[in-house]
């Protein structure tokens, strides 16, 4: 991971100096940059430490007094010596673009003036030759609402391109599509977290909360203490399943079959909430028809889950007075991800477990601002406020706020991975990446690496020279979470304000200023003039007014006073909406939709040539592409390399010995990993975490098949061979 020495800024390298550049004394509280819990932290000066130390804060109601290991270490990457602090131009040492890449030439510092002028000039040139859509924008769910919003506006107004999408496409898009279909509204959770302890029965499917949202565990443990039954559904025993009363070790790809079994029992035994189904939903007949064949016995034959277990869970959940279903990427990151999610929503709906206390459904959002990031226009088909870019009324409203003609707004583009494919095909010539590392995080990432090398202009705005930035012509130093003030929206839909703690190091700049200045160079500065970031928020609030995710009643002043407001919040005196769907769902008729799901095959089931299933996910000490956490010693030493989980049955079958590693081969590549033999994993499945690049990147193997509706890739299952490698 060593970076070229000319990358090192002496200012950023001297962490004491950087840390000393704090802003005002009183603005020392922040929120963790990693997961969607958004735990609050306090940064305090400490003896014997060059700068600040992080402590949990007692004040924020979500995880008062708690931070997990990642939060506690969050300062380390911010002050890391590899942090870039000047605009950097890739020194072209090669004649042909195809030969650039990891062997690319070094980086040379430039002034902001030169960097932005040259980038703007090149963009103009490419757009003159190939049209506006030759330039794409790739955003991220870690960015604040303000920066995500500005990025969407920048694409549509400054670049006039339809091609913008973001890493949330890999993250929440199946859950979002399902919630929109079933409820008419996508807010990850229908209720605040503090309802969890009141639930008597909790189903956690494809969600590893103990490692991925660790500070949520106390809510589950409190429920358990109150007598709740907890069920986990996962191909592996996880830290989360340790807290479960029943763990269903399901083969990847079988969620809809399993849930149909539960629904079958509930329908057959008339355990559903009859009046709720009658008065508040549509579609029960189709659902009942679809699950008819899925007797527990049939489900046992298909999945190996004992029929008694199917009956026990179905009866337990349906009969429980209160209950909650939480799902996450395990079943969402599949070509059938939307349908899988809809089926778990069916379960919550037909048992009437939505809209009252101790009840609810939640798709557990992942990234820091995964929720806000998908509301304000980073998505290919969206405008701020969760409006659709193809809706004439939405275009008119937002164009008015932006001061442009609605006809100037481009139409909808394509999803993140499809945008990368369009680069590979030559249609897109330039891309600006802000807040993502798609070379590590995309499926089938050899394609992505190849595609990025074809770009005539790649601009990466980041903190580090990431794997993606290695192919960039320009690397611009953006701001970390401690430097950029703004608002975020946590997994509950709670909007809150995050203050500024540090000045950006060296010549790095606030992300929003970089976008505004680039817009200026592109001749569109008049639409991007803001004195302070609060003005961006105020404009965002206007742009969302009347939309699904309505923030128009929210102000910085209120957020600071009220410590968070749940959207929708359509008026200054509106208290916000912690509980959704108490009386109506968001469809025009007020009713939720049930869907009869016929389980479908994955894109690449195991077969004779590739007889096992690879699934991927996370470990507690790393975050996503690892750009931040691999640079954090205290975290990296806990998991310096990816370790593949493999069942003893499979280990024996391939003759694995103690000192061996395993080779995993898919149709797209072959990699060698250290192995951990564990009874906990489904025997025909191997699991590899995805937080590493290059030869340790499991995304060299994953399949790029997309869900037909959400366009989310099937990260969670592809067919592989497994061999021993001595
Ligand atoms: N430590 C840590 N925390 C994180 C992150 C991180 O990178 N590291 N990332 C954040 C982000 S952006 C996200 S999106 C969330 C993700 O949070 P999660 O979705 O909880 O995380 P994953 O590990 O991707 O997947 C969850 C589980 O799904 C299981 N699984 C695999 N296939 C299937 C299947 O077919 N069905 C079912 N039911 N389960 C299956 C996996 O074994 C895994 O245990 O975490 C957030 N928090
Ligand atoms: N195989 C497999 N692949 C997956 C998944 C999986 O489960 N399995 N999960 C998918 C999911 S759910 C997700 S969310 C994606 C995410 O994958 P990525 O989008 O690649 O995630 P990050 O590593 O968070 O990338 C964020 C980048 O932005 C930089 N950054 C962070 N904050 C800021 C900021 O405020 N300003 C600027 N300028 N830069 C910043 C970081 O240094 C980092 O380089 O990965 C997906 N890929
Ligand atoms: S639970 Fe999430 S937000 Fe809280 S400290 Fe850990 S990573 Fe940060
Ligand atoms: Mo995610």
């Amino acid at each position: 991971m060593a970076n070229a020495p000319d990358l090192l800024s002496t200012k950023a390298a001297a962490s004491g100096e950087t840390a000393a550049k704090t802003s005002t004394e009183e603005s020392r509280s922040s929120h963790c940059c990693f997961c969607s819990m958004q735990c609050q932290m306090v940064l305090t000066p400490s003896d014997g430490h060059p700068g600040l130390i992080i402590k949990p804060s007692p004040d924020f109601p979500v995880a008062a007094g708690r931070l997990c290991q990642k939060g506690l270490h969050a300062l380390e990457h911010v002050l890391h010596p590899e942090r870039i602090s000047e605009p950097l131009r890739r020194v072209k040492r090669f004649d042909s673009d195809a030969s650039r890449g990891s062997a690319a030439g070094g980086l040379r510092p430039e002034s902001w003036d030169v960097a932005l002028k040259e980038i703007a000039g090149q963009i103009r040139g490419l757009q003159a030759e190939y049209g506006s859509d030759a330039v794409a924008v790739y955003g991220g769910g870690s960015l604040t609402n303000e920066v995500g919003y500005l990025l969407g506006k920048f694409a549509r107004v400054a670049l006039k391109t339809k091609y913008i999408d973001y890493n949330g496409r890999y993250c929440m898009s199946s859950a979002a599509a399902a919630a929109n279909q079933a409820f008419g509204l996508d807010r990850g959770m229908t209720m605040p977290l503090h309802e969890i302890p009141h639930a008597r029965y909790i189903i956690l499917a494809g969600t590893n909360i103990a490692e991925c949202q660790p500070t949520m565990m106390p809510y589950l443990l409190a429920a358990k203490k109150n007598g709740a039954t907890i069920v986990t559904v996962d191909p592996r025993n996880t830290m989360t399943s340790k807290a479960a009363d029943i763990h269903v070790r399901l083969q990847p790809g079988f969620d809809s079959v399993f849930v149909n079994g539960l629904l079958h029992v509930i329908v057959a035994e008339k355990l559903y909430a009859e009046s709720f189904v009658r008065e508040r939903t549509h579609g029960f007949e189709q659902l009942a028809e679809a699950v008819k064949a899925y007797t527990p016995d049939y489900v046992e034959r298909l999945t190996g889950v004992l029929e008694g277990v199917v009956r026990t869970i179905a009866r337990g959940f349906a009969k429980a007075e209160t209950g909650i279903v939480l799902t996450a990427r395990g079943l969402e990151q599949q070509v059938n991800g939307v349908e899988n999610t809809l089926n778990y929503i069916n379960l919550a709906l037909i048992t009437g477990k939505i809209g009252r206390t101790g009840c609810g459904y939640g798709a557990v959002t992942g990234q820091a601002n995964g929720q806000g990031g998908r509301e304000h226009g980073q998505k290919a088909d969206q405008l701020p406020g969760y409006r659709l870019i193809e809706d004439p009324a939405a275009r008119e409203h937002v164009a008015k706020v932006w001061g442009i003609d609605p006809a100037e707004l481009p139409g909808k583009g394509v999803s993140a991975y499809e945008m990368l494919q369009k680069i590979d095909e030559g249609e897109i010539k330039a891309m600006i990446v802000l807040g993502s590392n798609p070379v590590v995080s995309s499926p089938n990432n050899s394609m992505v690496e190849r595609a990025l090398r074809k770009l005539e202009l790649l601009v990466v705005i980041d903190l580090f020279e990431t794997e993606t930035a290695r192919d960039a012509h320009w690397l611009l130093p953006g701001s970390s979470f401690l430097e950029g003030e703004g608002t975020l929206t946590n997994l509950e839909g709670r909007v809150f304000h995050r203050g500024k703690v540090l000045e950006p190091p060296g010549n790095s700049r606030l992300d929003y200023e970089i976008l505004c200045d680039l817009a200026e160079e592109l001749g569109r500065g008049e639409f991007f003039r803001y004195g302070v970031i609060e003005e961006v928020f105020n404009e965002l609030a206007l742009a969302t007014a009347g939309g699904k995710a309505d923030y128009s009643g929210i102000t910085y002043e209120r957020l600071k006073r009220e410590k968070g407001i749940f959207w929708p919040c359509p008026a200054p005196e509106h208290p916000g909406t912690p509980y959704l769907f108490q009386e109506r769902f968001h469809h025009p008729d007020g009713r939720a939709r049930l869907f009869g799901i016929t389980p479908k095959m994955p894109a690449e089931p195991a077969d004779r040539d590739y007889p096992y299933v690879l699934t991927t996910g996370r470990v507690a000490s790393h975050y996503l592409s690892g750009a931040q956490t691999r640079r954090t010693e205290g975290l990296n030493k806990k998991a310096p390399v990816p370790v593949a989980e493999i069942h003893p049955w499979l280990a024996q079958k391939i003759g694995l010995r103690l000192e061996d590693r395993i080779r995993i081969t898919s149709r797209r590549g072959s990699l060698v990993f250290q192995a951990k033999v564990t009874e906990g994993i489904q025997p025909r499945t191997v699991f590899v975490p995805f937080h590493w690049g290059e030869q340790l990147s499991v995304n060299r193997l994953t399949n790029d098949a997309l869900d037909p509706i959400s366009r989310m890739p099937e990260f969670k299952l592809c067919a592989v061979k497994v061999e021993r490698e001595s």
Side-chain angles (χ1 to χ4, degrees):
M1 285 283 355
N3 271 334
D6 63 356
L7 253 183
L8 301 184
S9 136
T10 46
K11 266 193 179 161
S15 58
E17 193 183 334
T18 314
K21 282 172 65 185
T22 53
S23 56
T24 57
E25 275 303 307
E26 66 274 17
S27 60
R28 294 270 174 106
S29 113
S30 185
H31 289 260
C32 173
C33 55
F34 296 118
C35 88
S36 53
M37 285 296 285
Q38 285 306 291
C39 308
Q40 195 174 42
M41 50 176 59
V42 191
L43 292 108
T44 50
S46 141
D47 294 344
H49 191 273
L52 300 167
I53 57 164
I54 290 181
K55 289 186 179 154
S57 155
D59 288 340
F60 195 58
V62 181
R66 297 194 288 276
L67 284 174
C68 79
Q69 52 176 308
K70 287 187 297 305
L72 288 168
H73 281 95
L75 195 56
E76 216 173 304
H77 75 270
V78 173
L79 305 179
H80 197 277
E82 283 173 19
R83 175 96 189 257
I84 55 162
S85 58
E86 314 273 355
L88 298 166
R89 177 211 295 269
R90 170 111 18 235
V91 181
K92 268 213 172 180
R93 297 200 312 206
F94 305 101
D95 292 329
S96 104
D97 266 357
S99 61
R100 284 191 305 108
S102 44
L107 293 159
R108 193 172 71 211
E110 290 283 1
S111 70
W112 278 103
D113 199 40
V114 168
L116 296 179
K117 279 205 164 61
E118 285 204 20
I119 292 167
Q122 236 190 311
I123 288 174
R124 282 217 203 102
L126 288 168
Q127 289 189 316
E129 194 173 344
Y130 302 106
S132 308
D133 294 333
V135 182
V137 173
Y138 197 110
S142 301
L143 306 172
T144 58
N145 289 320
E146 289 80 349
V147 175
Y149 164 82
L150 262 190
L151 197 63
K153 180 177 174 186
F154 178 84
R156 275 70 175 241
V157 177
L159 295 173
K160 300 183 180 175
T161 178
K162 66 178 177 188
Y163 288 131
I164 174 168
D165 212 58
Y166 80 124
N167 67 9
R169 183 68 70 169
Y170 295 167
C171 182
M172 285 298 292
S173 58
S174 290
N180 278 320
Q181 288 189 17
F183 307 134
L185 185 81
D186 157 38
R187 197 185 80 186
M189 302 189 69
T190 64
M191 72 298 174
L193 284 173
H194 60 68
E195 283 302 316
I196 292 177
H198 305 299
R200 306 294 296 181
Y201 209 106
I202 301 174
I203 297 180
L204 306 173
T207 172
N208 184 7
I209 289 168
E211 296 197 65
C212 295
Q213 293 80 16
T215 60
M216 200 203 290
M217 280 313 280
Y219 291 96
L220 292 167
L221 299 175
K224 209 173 152 106
K225 209 168 160 203
N226 292 340
T229 301
I230 298 183
V231 173
T232 47
V233 186
D234 197 299
R236 308 181 296 140
N237 287 351
T238 61
M239 298 282 282
T240 312
S241 69
K242 282 189 184 158
D245 299 276
I246 305 173
H247 176 56
V248 178
R249 202 179 63 183
L250 195 70
Q251 211 170 315
F254 280 85
D255 286 88
S256 280
V257 173
F258 169 69
V259 177
N260 272 359
L262 302 180
L263 295 169
H264 174 95
V265 173
I266 293 169
V267 172
E269 300 185 4
K270 293 202 178 350
L271 299 175
Y272 53 92
E274 220 188 321
S275 61
F276 185 95
V277 167
R278 193 177 53 243
E279 288 156 25
R280 301 204 52 193
T281 69
H282 281 307
F284 182 74
E285 288 70 29
Q286 291 94 300
L287 182 151
E289 189 56 37
V291 303
K292 221 177 203 160
Y294 290 81
T295 59
D297 164 58
Y298 181 48
V299 170
E300 176 176 330
R301 273 183 281 136
L302 292 178
T303 63
V305 180
L306 299 177
E307 64 172 298
V309 171
V310 175
R311 282 187 214 283
T312 303
I313 297 171
R315 290 173 185 157
F317 186 71
K319 288 181 183 171
E321 198 186 316
T322 54
I324 286 175
V325 179
L326 299 178
T327 63
R329 304 312 82 74
L331 52 106
E332 295 162 14
Q333 288 170 329
Q334 301 194 14
V335 290
N336 304 311
V338 176
E339 294 198 339
N340 291 341
T341 312
L342 282 171
N343 226 11
Y344 280 101
I345 293 176
N346 280 337
L347 195 58
L349 283 171
I350 70 159
T351 56
K353 289 195 168 56
I354 285 195
R356 57 191 175 87
T357 194
C359 293
Y361 164 77
V364 182
T365 293
Q367 300 181 80
N369 196 28
Q371 180 70 52
R374 66 181 189 269
E375 296 164 359
H376 303 304
Q378 291 191 72
K379 219 171 171 178
D381 61 349
Q382 263 179 26
L383 289 171
Y386 226 122
R387 288 186 156 92
L388 294 178
I389 201 163
E390 308 267 275
D391 168 11
R395 294 169 70 86
E396 196 169 323
H397 174 86
V398 174
K400 198 166 162 204
V401 175
W402 289 351
I404 60 170
D405 185 331
E408 275 186 64
L409 279 173
K412 72 173 176 193
V414 297
S415 76
Y417 190 76
E418 290 167 297
M419 220 159 67
L420 301 170
Q421 285 175 319
K422 285 192 182 294
I423 296 173
D424 193 40
E425 290 155 9
E427 188 182 330
I428 295 174
K429 306 287 182 190
M431 181 161 74
I432 300 174
V433 180
L434 172 55
S436 182
N437 187 8
V439 163
V440 175
S441 54
S442 301
N444 186 21
N445 61 10
S446 313
M447 184 295 278
V448 177
E449 239 171 326
R450 179 182 73 217
L452 296 193
R453 287 173 195 172
K454 293 182 184 171
L455 282 169
E456 299 199 21
L457 175 67
L458 175 61
V459 180
V460 173
I461 310 173
D462 205 293
L463 316 175
F464 301 105
E465 189 190 7
T466 61
E467 288 77 1
T468 304
R470 282 184 204 165
D471 284 317
H473 300 83
W474 286 96
L475 176 50
L476 303 180
S479 43
S480 80
F481 75 112
L482 290 175
E483 294 139 17
E485 179 187 5
T487 64
L488 295 93
T489 307
N490 83 342
L491 78 175
E492 304 168 284
R494 186 192 301 259
V495 187
F496 63 91
H497 175 263
R498 187 184 73 194
K500 172 177 179 146
V501 176
L502 300 176
E503 292 297 336
N507 280 329
S508 44
R509 305 197 53 197
L510 297 177
D511 294 332
Y512 97 94
E513 293 173 345
I514 300 172
L515 293 178
C516 293
D517 288 356
L518 193 52
E520 198 77 52
E521 294 296 341
L522 288 162
R524 302 290 279 175
E526 62 184 296
F527 303 101
F528 293 87
R529 289 192 191 126
Y530 305 94
V532 286
I533 194 75
E534 186 172 352
E535 290 172 18
V536 180
F537 182 83
N538 294 340
E539 186 184 294
L540 173 158
L542 276 182
T544 67
K548 281 183 178 179
D550 191 329
Y551 283 40
S552 60
I554 304 179
T555 59
Y556 270 28
E557 186 271 322
R558 268 191 82 178
L559 288 179
K560 286 178 191 168
R561 187 160 33 88
E562 296 176 37
K563 292 183 182 170
I565 298 170
F566 287 76
W567 70 259
C569 178
E573 63 284 357
H574 191 285
T577 316
Y579 297 88
L580 294 175
F581 316 137
Q582 283 177 307
E583 269 130 44
R584 325 175 21 90
F585 290 94
H586 208 76
H587 288 299
D589 62 4
R591 285 168 177 245
R593 302 289 185 267
L594 297 165
F595 291 84
I597 302 298
T598 305
K600 299 191 182 68
M601 292 296 274
E604 201 183 66
D607 58 18
R608 192 181 300 183
D609 296 332
Y610 297 90
Y612 306 109
V613 169
L614 168 69
T615 194
T616 64
R618 294 154 168 81
V619 295
S621 50
H622 279 294
Y623 187 69
L624 299 177
S625 77
Q628 291 147 294
T629 51
R630 279 186 274 127
R631 292 183 169 87
T632 303
E633 202 192 331
L635 297 173
N636 197 49
K637 70 180 180 207
K638 293 191 184 170
V641 292
V643 178
E645 291 178 22
I646 166 175
H647 192 273
W649 171 81
L650 182 52
Q652 195 177 26
K653 202 161 157 58
I654 64 171
L656 194 75
R657 293 167 314 188
L658 201 57
E659 64 279 15
D660 291 340
R661 295 182 299 161
I662 61 171
R663 175 173 289 281
I664 306 181
T665 307
S666 79
R667 288 188 173 81
R668 291 150 296 276
S670 183
L671 295 176
V672 175
F673 295 103
Q674 288 185 17
K676 176 177 143 193
V677 178
T678 163
E679 296 267 355
I681 190 159
Q682 201 278 338
R684 307 186 73 85
T685 304
V686 287
F687 170 87
V688 182
F690 80 101
H691 313 289
W692 289 265
E694 302 190 334
Q695 289 311 309
L696 297 176
S697 178
V698 73
N699 274 328
R700 297 238 158 138
L701 312 182
T702 49
N703 190 3
D704 56 13
L706 308 177
D707 179 287
I709 297 161
S710 68
R711 315 307 284 163
M712 180 182 233
E714 188 149 74
F715 288 117
K716 286 296 189 265
L717 88 125
C718 71
V720 290
K721 288 185 223 184
V722 181
E723 295 152 304
R724 109 185 144 80
E725 178 95 2
S726 41

